[in-house]
Amino acid sequence: MAEPDFEAPLSELQKQIDELARWPGDPDKEQQARQLREELEARRREVYSRLTPWQKTLVARNPNRPYTLDYVQALCSEWTEVRGDRRYADDPALVCGFALYHDLPVCVVGHQKGRDTRQKIHRNFGMPKPEGYRKALRVMQLAAKFSRPILSFVDTPGAYPGIDAEERGQAEAIAYNLREMARLRAPIIVTVTGEGGSGGALAIAIGDRVNMLEHAVYSVISPEGCASILFRDASRAEEAAIAMKITAADLAAIELVDAVIPEPPGGAHVNHEQLFKSVDAVLWGQLQELLKKPAAELVEERYRKFREMGRLGREFRDAGA
């Protein structure tokens, strides 16, 4: 992935800091490095405070952002992964399993993109096939049976659009997940950590609380895809990203997400540890609130939550009519 233009000055400062680190024990070099680190921190805050929707899309796609298994390792213990949909095969693009979160048994599902080329191919670049969604639902239904909360981490360009996925019922698998998640009798907390791409994201994103990281995006189609359809020109993706209202701030403003989780200056890929602390604080707080509610109340509130989505759009449309 090519480095975005707006990050070039930051990368140059980081290179200078890394070069100075080759001289340990030199007081002058250490002083210069401290000054450069302070300057880098300030520049990061400035640059990332005014990112455009397209720039946020590029940040959301950064391959060094944490993926689901990173969150599991940082926040959970005694992780046990569950594989296979008991119909066709396992899908490595979606990881599912059980773990302890603050010593509380939970279910975790989420997309996994992969880091290097070999992993990306194995994980299909985080684009699940029908068996992935069926596996996720199987595990979530098992969690609901034993009253275990569900933590879902969303980061995918979208569901895999290949012929084999369509042959095995991609659209049906996604639609079935939407219906079944809506009535699971267990707390569900969804966090969009990177790309929330269309039905591929929504298939594991029906929850009592829906969060987004500060620089994540969530949309029905990628900006490139939207530009290709509307403008017949994928190069107008930046223009499409603005019109689509895909950022966390945009979606929080129209009440499609419940919380925007702040990222470290420079994005989640810069400081994983700081990000994990922010995510943990939000998830644990929401979980404590949801655990106090009876299962029937959770299901009813979840139903009403998603039925209400689009209300603001209708109000604006009616006001302008």
Side-chain angles (χ1 to χ4, degrees), residues 5-77:
D5 292 341
F6 64 89
E7 285 199 331
L10 305 179
S11 297
E12 184 58 36
L13 281 173
Q14 186 62 58
K15 288 178 183 178
Q16 295 178 37
I17 294 170
D18 294 341
E19 181 65 27
L20 290 171
R22 297 172 58 189
W23 303 88
D26 186 321
D28 292 335
K29 294 287 193 296
E30 291 178 355
Q31 176 63 22
Q32 292 177 42
R34 279 194 295 271
Q35 292 175 346
L36 286 175
R37 280 194 290 269
E38 291 175 0
E39 181 181 351
L40 178 59
E41 181 83 359
R43 292 285 295 277
R44 278 175 173 164
R45 289 185 184 278
E46 177 190 358
V47 169
Y48 275 75
S49 67
R50 48 182 174 81
L51 293 180
T52 67
W54 174 243
Q55 289 171 335
K56 283 182 179 284
T57 302
L58 298 179
V59 174
R61 294 172 178 172
N62 190 296
N64 294 319
R65 289 177 74 86
Y67 297 143
T68 298
L69 291 178
D70 298 311
Y71 289 100
V72 169
Q73 183 176 9
L75 304 179
C76 301
S77 61

Side-chain angles (χ1 to χ4, degrees), residues 128-130 133-134 137 158-160 166 169-181 197-204 206:
K129 299 179 180 182
Y133 296 117
R134 289 168 181 148
L137 182 59
Y160 182 62
E166 296 299 333
Q170 182 73 288
E172 185 272 343
I174 293 172
Y176 191 73
N177 272 34
L178 301 183
R179 188 188 74 180
E180 295 303 306
M181 284 191 76
S198 193
L202 192 59
I204 61 166
I206 304 297

Side-chain angles (χ1 to χ4, degrees), residues 11-321:
S11 297
E12 184 58 36
L13 281 173
Q14 186 62 58
K15 288 178 183 178
Q16 295 178 37
I17 294 170
D18 294 341
E19 181 65 27
L20 290 171
R22 297 172 58 189
W23 303 88
D26 186 321
D28 292 335
K29 294 287 193 296
E30 291 178 355
Q31 176 63 22
Q32 292 177 42
R34 279 194 295 271
Q35 292 175 346
L36 286 175
R37 280 194 290 269
E38 291 175 0
E39 181 181 351
L40 178 59
E41 181 83 359
R43 292 285 295 277
R44 278 175 173 164
R45 289 185 184 278
E46 177 190 358
V47 169
Y48 275 75
S49 67
R50 48 182 174 81
L51 293 180
T52 67
W54 174 243
Q55 289 171 335
K56 283 182 179 284
T57 302
L58 298 179
V59 174
R61 294 172 178 172
N62 190 296
N64 294 319
R65 289 177 74 86
Y67 297 143
T68 298
L69 291 178
D70 298 311
Y71 289 100
V72 169
Q73 183 176 9
L75 304 179
C76 301
S77 61
E78 299 190 26
W79 165 249
T80 301
E81 185 171 352
V82 179
R83 295 183 171 88
D85 67 343
R86 291 189 173 178
R87 294 189 188 184
Y88 180 76
D90 183 45
D91 185 352
L94 263 174
V95 294
C96 310
F98 296 93
L100 294 180
Y101 174 57
H102 289 270
D103 294 325
L104 176 71
V106 298
C107 164
V108 180
V109 301
H111 300 96
Q112 187 73 17
K113 287 182 173 179
R115 300 285 180 201
D116 56 31
T117 301
R118 183 177 179 181
Q119 288 182 11
K120 289 177 180 178
I121 293 173
H122 174 63
R123 301 286 183 182
N124 201 31
F125 298 84
M127 295 185 291
K129 299 179 180 182
E131 51 269 25
Y133 296 117
R134 289 168 181 148
K135 173 178 69 173
L137 182 59
R138 177 171 81 88
V139 174
M140 289 188 287
Q141 288 175 329
L142 186 61
K145 179 179 180 179
F146 293 100
S147 301
R148 294 193 174 188
I150 299 165
L151 305 179
S152 176
F153 296 94
V154 174
D155 186 7
T156 178
Y160 182 62
I163 293 177
D164 57 331
E166 296 299 333
E167 288 175 340
R168 294 194 297 276
Q170 182 73 288
E172 185 272 343
I174 293 172
Y176 191 73
N177 272 34
L178 301 183
R179 188 188 74 180
E180 295 303 306
M181 284 191 76
R183 57 191 186 188
L184 286 177
R185 297 173 65 84
I188 307 174
I189 300 178
V190 177
T191 306
V192 181
T193 62
E195 291 182 278
S198 193
L202 192 59
I204 61 166
I206 304 297
D208 304 294
R209 298 292 181 270
V210 179
N211 310 310
M212 283 183 69
L213 297 194
E214 181 182 0
H215 302 308
V217 294
Y218 198 9
S219 62
V220 298
I221 192 172
S222 69
E224 297 95 328
C226 176
S228 296
I229 293 171
L230 293 185
F231 309 133
R232 301 292 190 269
D233 184 358
S235 67
R236 295 175 65 180
E238 185 169 0
E239 181 181 347
I242 296 172
M244 290 167 66
K245 304 296 184 184
I246 61 178
T247 69
D250 288 332
L251 297 175
I254 56 176
E255 301 176 8
L256 293 187
V257 300
D258 299 294
V260 177
I261 303 176
E263 297 188 24
H269 55 284
V270 170
N271 190 330
H272 287 195
E273 185 176 350
Q274 184 178 338
L275 175 75
F276 292 143
K277 290 179 180 178
S278 298
V279 171
D280 183 36
V282 172
L283 295 187
W284 186 240
Q286 292 176 337
L287 196 52
Q288 294 305 297
E289 175 190 353
L290 294 173
L291 286 170
K292 297 175 184 177
K293 299 186 178 186
E297 183 179 342
L298 285 174
V299 173
E300 178 63 23
E301 289 185 357
R302 191 183 309 145
Y303 170 79
R304 293 189 181 281
K305 174 185 179 65
F306 280 84
R307 287 291 294 177
E308 282 291 304
M309 289 184 178
R311 171 179 55 82
L312 291 177
R314 291 195 299 272
E315 290 177 354
F316 290 146
R317 185 172 62 249
D318 293 343

